[in-house]
Amino acid sequence: MQLFSIFHSILFLGFVLLIDGTHSKLNLRYALLRQKQAAKSQNDTLAHQQRIKYDAQKTMKVMFYKNNTKTMETSAYEDAYDLSGSGCSPSDKFAIVLHGWIQSCSDPWALSLIERLSYYRGGCVMCIDYSVVASSSYMWLYTNFDILTGAISSIILTLFRQGFDPKRGYMFGFSFGGQLASAVGRSLRPHHLIESIDTCDMAGPGFDPIAVDHSKAGKHVQCFHSSRDKGTFVYSCHRNIMLGSCGLKQPSVASQLHLGSHGLCVDIYINTFDYPFYAVNSTPPECFTWQKTAKIPDGYTVGYEENFDSQVTGQIFVPTSLHYPYNLSKKQLKLLTKGGT
């Protein structure tokens, strides 16, 4: 009886070891299968992203302007651009304009900005038109933000390979295009650093409250803020210019309902080329800020700046008016600041 019990125990142990060994082999087989599936899934994801990037980039256009004349339009999906018909030279200053969601390079504000840049800055102005994909839903654009960033970065790297110097470069982005301008600038580092980047009411929905250091996008980064509903609340540029009421609302929205405080940002920015928009030298009492307020010299105005004053950084408050061109005179600014004290 005892011998039978010992034999039974040995048999049971062998059975357990057999099952355990089989189980271990199955675990190993399933682990290898999962690894293969994960690798396949990753490859499928990368292939999908490459397809989207290709589909997006092949619909994009690069439009070249010289002396405010459109000289050339070419597909963005090029390894090199034949600049002979553009009038542009790699030794020129160059500016790049990025529009926003449901917009294009043919929008009135984009054409006005190209005209002002051509007049004041000179050189070559380029607008990257991604209006085909920008006509998709905002959620689709946001979901594919990194892919669009990569596609636009590829376009700019092609220009650099042509001989364009980032030290002579400027980039402007409005709304979703503002987020793209920052992300593109950051993606070009550490090999390339755009000299100057300006953004106008960089999009907030989907992007906030994720902390991003937009100052890393270029050597000098100015961000203009104009709305609370569509603009970002991440104020991390070298300069954060708070237009109107604390950068949250514009008085002129009452007469420009079709633009709203968000759309007014580009109109105000374009007007800074020709009209003085004076900054106040302290934070208005109704405005709350966690950020450093810039030390503002008397008579300081904001807008496109050819020679960036690195001494003026932080938040800058710029009251705006009810009517076009939306700026305040020195007298009006003085009365406003006195009324607030």
Side-chain angles (χ1 to χ4, degrees):
M1 189 72 177
Q2 187 178 5
L3 183 63
F4 176 78
S5 178
I6 293 171
F7 175 75
H8 183 269
S9 298
I10 292 170
L11 184 64
F12 179 75
L13 180 61
F15 181 68
V16 169
L17 289 172
L18 178 64
I19 291 175
D20 189 58
T22 305
H23 189 259
S24 296
K25 288 178 181 178
L26 285 173
N27 278 346
L28 180 60
R29 186 178 295 176
Y30 282 130
L32 290 170
L33 181 61
R34 282 196 300 269
Q35 191 175 13
K36 287 179 181 178
Q37 287 175 336
K40 182 178 182 301
S41 177
Q42 187 177 13
N43 289 337
D44 288 346
T45 301
L46 289 172
H48 178 66
Q49 289 176 342
Q50 287 299 319
R51 272 199 309 276
I52 294 175
K53 181 181 175 183
Y54 170 75
D55 290 342
Q57 197 166 333
K58 73 179 182 181
T59 66
M60 293 182 186
K61 302 289 184 184
V62 183
M63 301 177 180
F64 292 81
Y65 291 81
K66 186 76 173 183
N67 299 323
N68 196 37
T69 300
K70 185 178 174 182
T71 54
M72 189 171 79
E73 179 179 320
T74 184
S75 169
Y77 204 74
E78 299 282 349
D79 291 331
Y81 301 121
D82 180 4
L83 299 173
S84 57
S86 70
C88 295
S89 167
S91 62
D92 286 340
K93 293 178 183 177
F94 70 94
I96 295 170
V97 176
L98 297 174
H99 59 78
W101 176 47
I102 319 181
Q103 294 184 330
S104 74
C105 289
S106 300
D107 277 32
W109 74 261
L111 295 174
S112 294
L113 179 58
I114 290 166
E115 189 274 329
R116 292 290 79 191
L117 288 170
S118 298
Y119 182 81
Y120 281 97
R121 179 179 170 82
C124 185
V125 183
M126 295 164 252
C127 190
I128 298 176
D129 192 302
Y130 65 104
S131 56
V132 173
V133 292
S135 63
S136 303
S137 71
Y138 184 86
M139 185 54 67
W140 186 93
L141 275 187
Y142 175 75
T143 303
N144 292 285
F145 179 76
D146 290 342
I147 293 170
L148 294 173
T149 298
I152 294 171
S153 297
S154 295
I155 295 167
I156 296 174
L157 286 171
T158 297
L159 294 169
F160 291 164
R161 285 193 293 270
Q162 295 280 96
F164 285 90
D165 185 353
K167 291 180 181 178
R168 298 174 68 80
Y170 159 93
M171 186 158 49
F172 176 90
F174 168 51
S175 190
F176 193 86
Q179 288 285 358
L180 283 173
S182 173
V184 167
R186 286 179 279 121
S187 75
L188 295 173
R189 297 184 67 148
H191 303 294
H192 306 286
L193 184 64
I194 300 275
E195 182 72 12
S196 180
I197 295 177
D198 286 354
T199 70
C200 221
D201 218 35
M202 198 184 284
F207 297 96
D208 288 359
I210 300 168
V212 173
D213 189 353
H214 295 299
S215 70
K216 300 295 185 185
K219 186 175 180 182
H220 307 299
V221 183
Q222 289 193 115
C223 297
F224 291 74
H225 304 275
S226 66
S227 76
R228 67 160 61 91
D229 58 336
K230 297 181 177 67
T232 184
F233 287 101
V234 176
Y235 306 141
S236 58
C237 306
H238 293 116
R239 289 181 189 157
N240 293 283
I241 298 165
M242 319 305 286
L243 298 172
S245 176
C246 310
L248 303 175
K249 186 178 179 182
Q250 305 312 303
S252 50
V253 75
S255 61
Q256 302 291 339
L257 290 174
H258 63 294
L259 293 175
S261 291
H262 183 62
L264 276 161
C265 190
V266 280
D267 279 17
I268 292 170
Y269 180 82
I270 290 165
N271 286 346
T272 66
F273 284 89
D274 300 303
Y275 301 94
F277 279 76
Y278 294 103
V280 295
N281 55 17
S282 62
T283 302
E286 70 274 15
C287 301
F288 183 78
T289 178
W290 290 281
Q291 307 294 322
K292 182 188 87 171
T293 302
K295 293 182 179 179
I296 305 297
D298 289 337
Y300 183 80
T301 60
V302 301
Y304 168 78
E305 190 168 308
E306 186 75 14
N307 299 303
F308 195 91
D309 185 352
S310 298
Q311 299 300 311
V312 182
T313 59
Q315 280 193 308
I316 301 172
F317 292 88
V318 180
T320 57
S321 70
L322 181 62
H323 300 292
Y324 184 91
Y326 316 122
N327 65 327
L328 294 176
S329 67
K330 282 186 177 180
K331 183 178 179 181
Q332 289 171 318
L333 189 69
K334 190 173 181 179
L335 289 171
L336 179 70
T337 52
K338 275 187 177 181
T341 55

